[in-house]
Amino acid sequence: MEALILLVIGVVALPFVLLASRHDGKKGTDGGGTSRPRPRRTRCPNCGSPVIDHGSYWECGWCGDYGQN
């Protein structure tokens, strides 16, 4: 009987735990998050040269460094 009570409590509490553990910056399903997009990189953090923007990633033509936008 005690195991059944714990099972019911776990099943009822699981959706609340999953909603509380979201880390995407959104509050609910309406997409009203407060996080702003990161600015696109224009200079290489390694050498300071201008970078080539390839859409989802950038690449430095001088030193070869690269990363995500």
Side-chain angles (χ1 to χ4, degrees):
M1 183 66 176
E2 188 176 315
L4 180 63
I5 293 172
L6 291 175
L7 179 66
V8 170
I9 290 172
V11 169
V12 170
L14 183 63
F16 296 107
V17 171
L18 292 176
L19 286 174
S21 66
R22 290 180 59 175
H23 295 289
D24 60 358
K26 295 182 180 176
K27 297 179 180 177
T29 58
D30 61 351
T34 59
S35 63
R36 289 186 275 179
R38 293 188 332 210
R40 296 180 87 77
R41 187 171 301 279
T42 57
R43 295 276 179 184
C44 176
N46 189 36
C47 69
S49 294
V51 299
I52 303 165
D53 188 359
H54 294 285
S56 62
Y57 72 98
W58 58 268
E59 178 184 10
C60 178
W62 181 257
C63 70
D65 196 9
Y66 62 93
Q68 289 183 329
N69 276 336

